[in-house]
Amino acid sequence: MKLWDKGYGIDKEVNEFSTGEDYLLDRKLVRYDCLASIAHAKMLGRIGILKPREVKKLDGALRKIIRLDAKGRFTIRKEDEDCHTAIENYLIRELGQAGKKIHTARSRNDQVAVALRLYYRDELSACERLAMGFIAALKDFRSKYGDIKMPGYTHTRKAMPSSMGMWSESFAESMGDNIKLLQAAYKLVDQSPLGTGAGYGVPLKIDRALTARELGFARIQRNPIYVQNSRGKFESVIVGALSVLMFDLNKIAEDLIMFSMPEFGYFVIPRELTGGSSMMPHKKNPDVLEILRANYHLMNSYEFRIKGVIANLPSGYNRDLQLTKGPVMRSFETAENSLRVATKIMKRIKADKRRSEEGLSEEVYATERAYSLVKRGTPFRDAYKRAARRNL
Ligand code: ARG
């Protein structure tokens, strides 16, 4: 039964259309919705809406749902619309009166916001841990192969001497910056929306600080309209940060694809990380790197979807916002899987010392030749011209 059931029937097709895949996506939110409800029940107890006995019963039932959900045994039916409804229906079934009181002083609009933010905090932390794992793999690569020289390129033409160390450090430093972006996104979502109701507050004296504290939020998000207007805005910040992170993985994938080409041979992809051809017996293809490279574009499409859905909406909750849920959840999935695979690749890939040092043909040292003249007093422009003569 719907939370907004008032006794008249609702068209099944319209209802299924409006629910879409939300009841499936919401499986990821069950745990978080329960945690928020536990804090909410405690607060309702504190202000005298719930009796201590009722708070205890609700707490017990909500923890039971968390356990059921962890075993995959809590179901959200399509008719339920979302996890919030499924959970409240369960509480009413199990507890009667106490279940019927849990929705006091809240709306699904602040409820979905709080569950999503708890979920985002966990996912952003997971991304940060994975990004740190990737940096560690790059550092290991550097300690194994860092001293190997290789040509550096601009315009995909040989430029100046570089090294496996300089190359791998560039990605480690860059991923360090991405972590700062993840932390900035975390800071933004780390404010409690609970207690703002549908977007215009609650006509009851409640204790928002208590629920915020219980849920470990750094602060309260004050304005109830802004709480609703941040839905989709916060999501675009998250996916924006993930997109920048995926940009780095796109680039490292492209470098590895290009420089492991037999024509270059600077890197060797171990064969267990390659894909084969159904027709050409000899092929060992870098499929995994190609998917990694392409995932950046998927991530950008998620960002566009979110930004598109939220544009031109009037203030307050609009059901359109539901459609930001899929893209943000898929973004986390894509970023986390990509980081895991990129880390595995960096742990296993090998650098070929002979081939990369062979890449250092004499023109790569042209700039150094010019500078050796500069060191002996020749003006740079004259030194440049003299060094250029060799490669005209
Ligand atoms: N599934 C909905 C969402 O994700 C929950 C909020 C529904 N609120 C409403 N007023 N219909 O946005």
Side-chain angles (χ1 to χ4, degrees):
M1 194 173 84
K2 298 200 189 350
L3 299 179
W4 43 276
D5 186 276
K6 291 183 278 281
Y8 51 84
I10 295 295
D11 186 281
K12 191 162 179 274
E13 186 183 4
V14 162
N15 183 57
E16 288 193 5
F17 176 81
S18 311
T19 300
E21 57 169 358
D22 214 44
Y23 73 108
L24 298 172
L25 297 173
D26 266 21
R27 287 195 208 138
K28 285 199 174 25
L29 298 182
V30 170
R31 171 187 163 75
Y32 300 105
D33 194 67
C34 288
L35 292 172
S37 294
I38 289 170
H40 185 66
K42 187 168 179 183
M43 190 279 290
L44 291 178
R46 198 66 64 82
I47 63 169
I49 296 282
L50 291 175
K51 301 187 188 84
R53 190 170 43 83
E54 290 175 320
V55 177
K56 214 166 151 216
K57 274 165 71 179
L58 282 163
D59 188 283
L62 286 160
R63 287 182 201 280
K64 187 163 165 211
I65 298 175
I66 294 178
R67 285 196 300 276
L68 286 174
D69 177 59
K71 292 188 217 135
R73 283 184 22 224
F74 185 78
T75 38
I76 308 168
R77 294 167 312 151
K78 206 188 257 179
E79 310 81 80
D80 286 337
E81 282 194 322
D82 51 30
C83 69
H84 321 294
T85 309
I87 293 169
E88 186 169 325
N89 286 341
Y90 178 96
L91 294 175
I92 294 173
R93 250 190 344 263
E94 293 280 307
L95 311 176
Q97 283 302 99
K100 285 191 195 166
K101 289 185 185 172
I102 187 69
H103 208 58
T104 318
R106 76 175 182 195
S107 150
R108 266 188 305 169
N109 296 351
D110 59 341
Q111 205 181 342
V112 66
V114 71
L116 282 171
R117 288 182 197 184
L118 295 174
Y119 161 76
Y120 296 154
R121 287 197 320 200
D122 276 1
E123 295 295 320
L124 285 165
S125 305
C127 288
E128 189 175 331
R129 278 195 300 279
L130 290 168
M132 273 153 51
F134 179 65
I135 293 176
L138 286 164
K139 299 233 146 116
D140 284 353
F141 176 89
R142 189 192 202 296
S143 57
K144 269 192 268 174
Y145 303 111
D147 293 338
I148 299 178
K149 294 201 170 30
M150 69 191 285
Y153 292 78
T154 69
H155 311 264
T156 50
R157 304 294 183 271
K158 284 181 189 170
M160 286 174 71
S162 174
S163 67
M164 289 287 169
M166 195 195 278
W167 175 83
S168 55
E169 269 301 318
S170 75
F171 288 104
E173 196 176 328
S174 190
M175 196 49 76
D177 278 351
N178 299 337
I179 289 177
K180 289 182 204 140
L181 294 178
L182 295 176
Q183 289 166 344
Y186 188 104
K187 248 185 166 167
L188 207 55
V189 301
D190 195 17
Q191 35 185 338
S192 177
L194 196 56
T196 55
Y200 300 94
V202 175
L204 195 68
K205 189 143 176 36
I206 56 169
D207 188 349
R208 292 194 60 200
L210 189 150
T211 45
R213 216 169 36 243
E214 285 291 312
L215 296 168
F217 281 109
R219 63 198 164 280
I220 290 169
Q221 192 176 11
R222 292 262 159 234
N223 187 291
I225 300 178
Y226 177 45
V227 166
Q228 292 310 313
N229 294 352
S230 354
R231 183 126 182 240
K233 172 182 159 168
F234 287 2
E235 281 76 357
S236 17
V237 171
I238 292 171
V239 181
L242 295 178
S243 157
V244 168
L245 182 153
M246 288 303 298
F247 168 72
D248 285 7
L249 299 187
N250 167 278
K251 191 175 292 296
I252 199 167
E254 173 58 21
D255 279 357
L256 293 176
I257 291 167
M258 186 158 75
F259 294 125
S260 64
M261 251 171 96
E263 287 80 346
F264 286 95
Y266 304 165
F267 293 99
V268 181
I269 309 171
R271 61 185 177 186
E272 69 272 17
L273 301 187
T274 60
S277 154
S278 61
M279 181 174 162
M280 300 165 283
H282 65 289
K283 294 280 269 171
K284 287 191 195 67
N285 297 325
D287 302 44
V288 63
L289 292 166
E290 291 163 328
I291 296 293
L292 193 59
R293 179 173 63 183
N295 271 349
Y296 170 56
H297 303 278
L298 287 196
M299 190 62 83
N300 287 338
S301 80
Y302 299 141
E303 193 180 349
F304 283 138
R305 282 188 220 182
I306 293 169
K307 287 182 166 166
V309 162
I310 63 173
N312 310 327
L313 297 182
S315 279
Y317 179 82
N318 300 278
R319 189 69 179 266
D320 313 49
L321 295 172
Q322 179 178 294
L323 298 186
T324 61
K325 205 185 274 172
V328 75
M329 287 183 168
R330 286 196 184 94
S331 299
F332 280 123
E333 232 169 74
T334 304
E336 288 167 24
N337 290 337
S338 299
L339 279 166
R340 265 186 220 107
V341 162
T343 303
K344 175 174 278 187
I345 293 167
M346 281 323 296
K347 279 187 181 157
R348 306 247 188 109
I349 204 154
K350 296 184 174 68
D352 186 327
K353 183 171 159 67
R354 185 179 61 82
R355 296 292 308 274
S356 29
E357 295 187 350
E358 269 171 19
L360 289 157
S361 38
E362 61 87 23
E363 78 272 24
V364 177
Y365 296 99
T367 311
E368 290 186 11
R369 278 197 293 274
Y371 272 87
S372 68
L373 297 175
V374 166
K375 280 182 210 147
R376 279 183 266 133
T378 315
F380 175 74
R381 194 49 62 207
D382 295 336
Y384 171 96
K385 286 197 175 123
R386 270 175 55 197
R389 265 186 236 138
R390 264 216 225 190
N391 305 100
L392 285 179

